[in-house]
Amino acid sequence: MSTETFEFQVEARQLLQLMIHSVYSNKDVFLRELVSNASDALDKLRLAKLRDDTLDADVSDLHIELETDREARTLTVRDNGVGMSYDEVGELIGTIANSGTAQFLKELKEAQDAAGAEGLIGQFGVGFYSGFMVADEVTLVTRKAGEKQGTRWSSRGEGTYTLERVDDAPQGTSVVLHLKPADPDNQLHDYTSVWKLREIVKRYSDFITWPIRLVGEKDGEGDDGEAAEPETLNSMKALWARPRDEVSEDEYHELYKHIGHDWREPLETIQLHAEGTFEYQALLFVPSHAPHDLFRQNTRHGLQLYVKRVFIMDDCEALLPSYLRFVKGVVDAQDLSLNVSREILQQDRHIRMMQRRLTKKVLSSVKSMMTADAEKYATFWREFGAVLKEGLVTDPDNRDALLAVASFASTHEDGEAVTLKRYVERMPEGQDDIYYITGESRETVDNSPHMEAFRERGIEVLLLTDPVDEVWTDAVGEFEGKRLRSVAKGEIDLDAREDDRSEDEQKQQAEAYAGLLGWMRERLDDDVKEVRLSTRLTRSPACLVADADDLTPALENMYRAMGQEVPHSRRILELNPDHALVKGLNEAYAEREDRSELADTAELLYTLAVVAEGGRPKDPARFVRLTADRLERTL
Ligand code: ADP
């Protein structure tokens, strides 16, 4: 039959180059990756047969086999699982579809040195291709369940691979690694050594629920040429069903790496055994890093669902709310039908109960992390805080629990994030509200004119810079009876401050400005619904604020981005009567008949307020012209 040669996709080629010249010291993990793929293939076949028992496949003895040949220096990893079709081999093995891997390659290009590269490999993992760390040629023979003909794929990892149809392929997939020459100085890395394989399987793949058998040659025992009985290398114990004190942290971590497709350790391991009428076990993991696609829509997430130890589905979203989509793990239920579908799960009463219980369990684990290990909690919140806050909007039942574990950057933080509870505890006498500011970045909120008076008076303000902050602050409204108030909304009356001006003086000032304020309000009618004197400014001439129940500009943009129609809302322009520019404008207003020049200045003042909060001038060219014109006159 004809053999066709294909080129690897560019990314795949880069990745292979990296594996061939691998700088990664822990090469043993290639076996974990291949065993993990084999195990997935067995899960898939059992499930396919369960769904359709006419499928022409033998599921009576599903297993993984490792076979070594010292003479030929090969190691074969074989499974009798679901296999791949000719086209699938090209798609799955010849290209890289995984967005995480693309990200990995991007970061790798930026990492200049070998140590950086090694760190990255350790973080991302590269699945099947990791075989090229130890082999200079890899051959894969596979036959998809239900199909007659198989496929042979072969490559030396150097830019091309070949595909060929074969007639005599057994069910499933076998991967033959033609191992690199043995290093006489480093016997530890001889992957034809049986004890080496035993050790790797025990360390990385013991929990795999399918038998991993060693067949053929055995050290010492097999020297006389007789094939020994296959030996099962793994215990196959489902970790989630075992009491926690019988399982080592390392074992949990290896399970996490298998199901989470992550090469790093998890941040937290959470176990739950629910007894009673609806029994189930759960083993959940919080990763130590947020995935790159956490905020992309329609990404796959969710737990693995087992029923009585039988794998049923990946990415089961129904088991946790969307704001916990970063949690990985396994749920094994006793009394669900093996034929359960995603649609049924969404409506199932038991699944909803499980979701509630698992959610509470995850939140209470975060709570304990907060008290037991501040550093771990800080990592957790840095990676996942922005996702968790979505729950403040979408899950009112757990709002209190979420608020209890949330923390925020603050003007008073001393480097540490503050909880709402702590904020309220240290609120000075006379302050009734919890103040916050929202904005795009730490820099914009730090320098916002809205902060001036608060800063001057030493009032603590929470600095909120995630997009979701705009939404949850509105939805939540208050904490322990204290209102959550944006420093950019409504009238701010900081009574707690000592005002050095008497009431009379203030009244006089208001009268003196009445004409200018009214005139400006008319001039700026398109964008502004009111112009008033400010109590929040000390250094800036002007700022924009919203009414307490108006949408903020960021929120308006968010709704528009989601395709909703939002009327353009006009805001309030506040002027700083102590600023020389504002004073001067007021005097000029009183003196001059012809106000066309002043109208431009009024417009500039408004645009400056827009720019100060990170917005864009409506007509940037005009803004530049007016500004340049005025600057010229200062020369
Ligand atoms: P990952 O396992 O992270 O998806 P891999 O490069 O290891 O990435 O594998 C790519 C895909 O190839 C797998 O998702 C799977 O669909 C397929 N595959 C790999 N090994 C096997 C196997 N032994 N049997 C069936 N399919 C496999």
Side-chain angles (χ1 to χ4, degrees), residues 15 22 119 182-183 212 256 272 318 373 396 398 402 433 467 474 503 525-526 531 549 553 608 621:
L15 199 55
S22 175
D183 177 355
I212 304 170
Y256 164 73
L272 178 79
D373 189 341
N398 284 307
L402 281 162
D433 300 327
D474 255 7
E503 258 177 50
D525 187 55
D526 282 349
V531 182
D549 44 10
L608 289 176

Side-chain angles (χ1 to χ4, degrees), residues 318-335:
L319 293 169
L320 282 174
S322 148
Y323 67 89
L324 296 179
R325 59 185 172 274
F326 54 88
V327 175
K328 306 275 182 210
V330 174
V331 171
D332 190 345
Q334 294 304 306
D335 302 307

